[in-house]
Amino acid sequence: MSYDVIVIGLGGMGSAAAYHLVARGQRVLGLEKFGPAHDRGSSHGGSRIIRQSYFEDPAYVPLLLRAYELWDKLATDTGREVYRLTGGLFMGPPDSVTVAGSQRASREWDLPHEMLDAAEIRRRFPTFTPYPGDVALYESKAGFARPEMTVQAHIDLAESAGAELHFGEPLHGWDDTSGGVAVTTERGTYTAGHLVICPGAWAPQLLADFGIPITIERQVLYWFDPVGGTGSFVDHPIFIHEDVEGAQAYGFPAIDGPGGGVKVAFFRKGIVCTPETIDRTVSEQEIVEMRDRVAALLPALAGDCVHTATCMYSNTPDQHFVIARHPDADRITVACGFSGHGFKFVPVVGEILADLAIDGATGHPISLFDPGRLVTT
Ligand SMILES: Cc1cc2nc3c(=O)[nH]c(=O)nc-3n(C[C@H](O)[C@H](O)[C@H](O)COP(=O)(O)OP(=O)(O)OC[C@H]3O[C@@H](n4cnc5c(N)ncnc54)[C@H](O)[C@@H]3O)c2cc1C
């Protein structure tokens, strides 16, 4: 059977790509190793921060503005609450990456924001006890997306528009010929004019020949039951807090009901692993370290840890994404190396991948994601 485009990996990015491709009239086949919206890659755990005052680099802001439009459209098209705006606090010393970087992006792009000193943080958000000298940038347009719901929404929209999506069918290999790309799985061979590869944490295996250096990191998510109940955490902003050492921790409102806890985690504090070797158990020592860190900022989170989960980051050396047509293989487009901050871009990455696969170029500013900056072989 022949298709216009075959998408490999139907996680966050691949499911969005499949939808945007089929919406633009392409005959699409999607192949996914596991089931729909599974918990063995990078797109699970109930929530992902979304924000616009992007401390990583102001160059991401135009993509975020488009992503927000598409988040809204996805919610409208499916009637599902795939995202929610709660407001967000980006907190730490005034010269920290989190605060100064968010301020820079907000100023450069004229994004609505407020600067709060420690007293003002405590007055407006009494769950917090900021560290001495902390300030915060408050962004009303920050909030969270629901990863599993988003992946399922894109899968459902793609299938109802006519995409053929196969689950439990891993790609084994592909052959790029002058006439097209032939993709093999244990069930057969499929051909297409173009291949879009969104492998998540399997990038080092699937894209080994491309020489893109990506390190896979185990990350842990923790849910703490607040002392005194979840009440004051229901209408609560998302937050990222940076300490004087530059270590960032972040958290969400209580969105899983009574007993569901408040989710918190360290940003970029992981152990190198592979999808095969990742340790899915979380030690008591890890829980204590997380509790000590967040309870110093939010004393109510000194309560019981009710749940944990593990997830993988795919880090590039500079923590910027890789999104491009392959420089030596014009029939192949890749999207990988999302370095722990990709989910908020899912809908716009889907749109970009459709542009690259269909037109060979995109109007979106993606020069930051050129693999040429990283390729070592
Ligand atoms: C703990 C944690 C917290 C995060 N927090 C945030 C956040 O707050 N905000 C934010 O914006 N981002 C966040 N991220 C990052 C974000 O979730 C990821 O960047 C994003 O989910 C990556 O999507 P992906 O499509 O690349 O990977 P995935 O969703 O994992 O998709 C890759 C897919 O490829 C499939 N696959 C692999 N090999 C094959 C094969 N051979 N054949 C077929 N299919 C295959 C896999 O099964 C998988 O489904 C977080 C990530 C983690 C782990």
Side-chain angles (χ1 to χ4, degrees):
M1 180 89 194
S2 188
Y3 300 87
D4 293 321
V5 184
I6 299 178
V7 179
I8 305 299
L10 298 172
M13 307 304 166
S15 60
Y19 165 60
H20 281 275
L21 284 160
V22 74
R24 286 171 59 180
Q26 301 291 293
R27 281 171 301 147
V28 175
L29 171 68
L31 297 175
E32 166 56 48
K33 190 180 176 76
F34 298 116
H38 64 88
D39 64 359
R40 289 149 90 175
S42 305
S43 299
H44 59 279
S47 52
R48 291 288 186 271
I49 288 180
I50 62 172
R51 56 193 160 91
Q52 296 185 346
S53 58
Y54 221 57
F55 56 75
E56 286 85 345
D57 198 308
Y60 286 87
V61 175
L63 297 173
L64 288 161
L65 298 176
R66 177 61 178 153
Y68 267 58
E69 288 175 5
L70 292 170
W71 279 115
D72 198 44
K73 183 171 185 315
L74 186 63
T76 307
D77 288 351
T78 58
R80 301 178 203 173
E81 196 191 19
V82 288
Y83 80 104
R84 190 190 300 172
L85 300 187
T86 60
L89 281 169
F90 309 114
M91 204 186 297
D95 60 351
S96 60
V97 171
T98 307
V99 174
S102 301
Q103 219 172 348
R104 177 174 165 225
S106 298
R107 283 185 181 146
E108 243 174 67
W109 289 95
D110 208 13
L111 302 173
H113 67 285
E114 294 171 69
M115 295 307 299
L116 312 179
D117 62 17
E120 190 62 6
I121 298 168
R122 267 194 300 274
R123 193 185 67 76
R124 289 198 25 202
F125 304 101
T127 48
F128 288 93
T129 56
Y131 292 9
D134 275 357
V135 299
L137 181 146
Y138 177 76
E139 180 186 19
S140 58
K141 283 200 168 163
F144 63 87
R146 292 287 210 171
E148 294 89 341
M149 203 189 286
T150 300
V151 173
Q152 194 63 56
H154 279 133
I155 287 172
D156 292 346
L157 286 180
E159 283 186 326
S160 59
E164 217 182 285
L165 306 183
H166 296 185
F167 295 92
E169 186 173 352
L171 163 96
H172 285 174
W174 71 82
D175 196 12
D176 182 11
T177 69
S178 56
V181 191
V183 164
T184 50
T185 73
E186 63 194 13
R187 289 189 223 162
T189 300
Y190 310 94
T191 56
H194 204 87
L195 195 57
V196 173
I197 307 178
C198 304
W202 286 262
Q205 301 165 29
L206 252 60
L207 304 176
D209 294 347
F210 293 180
I212 302 167
I214 291 176
T215 308
I216 308 306
E217 251 184 27
R218 167 186 179 270
Q219 299 291 331
V220 183
L221 299 166
Y222 305 80
W223 284 258
F224 288 98
D225 195 17
V227 176
T230 45
S232 51
F233 285 88
V234 173
D235 274 325
H236 197 271
I238 59 96
F239 66 91
I240 301 177
H241 180 266
E242 183 171 333
D243 66 17
V244 285
E245 254 111 61
Q248 292 162 305
Y250 63 93
F252 295 84
I255 54 178
D256 300 320
V262 169
K263 190 177 102 175
V264 295
F266 288 110
F267 191 34
R268 312 203 174 292
K269 188 174 184 297
I271 300 165
V272 173
C273 69
T274 71
E276 287 72 38
T277 62
I278 180 172
D279 183 359
R280 299 284 186 186
T281 56
V282 176
S283 72
E284 191 52 36
Q285 190 191 330
E286 288 179 299
I287 292 171
V288 168
E289 195 186 343
M290 186 79 244
R291 183 191 284 120
D292 286 352
R293 174 71 165 87
V294 283
L297 183 68
L298 295 135
L301 295 188
D304 291 338
C305 181
V306 290
H307 181 53
T308 58
T310 53
C311 176
M312 290 176 284
Y313 283 1
S314 305
N315 294 334
T316 61
D318 61 7
Q319 287 156 1
H320 296 309
F321 311 155
V322 171
I323 305 176
R325 274 242 188 165
H326 190 270
D328 307 321
D330 199 41
R331 294 185 181 279
I332 296 176
T333 294
V334 295
C336 59
F338 286 94
S339 304
H341 63 116
F343 206 85
K344 61 186 80 60
F345 298 89
V346 153
V348 72
V349 171
E351 183 168 80
I352 291 167
L353 292 173
D355 289 345
L356 294 177
I358 298 169
D359 306 326
T362 180
H364 289 294
I366 60 164
S367 56
L368 194 58
F369 312 141
D370 184 341
R373 75 191 196 276
L374 302 170
V375 170
T376 54
T377 54

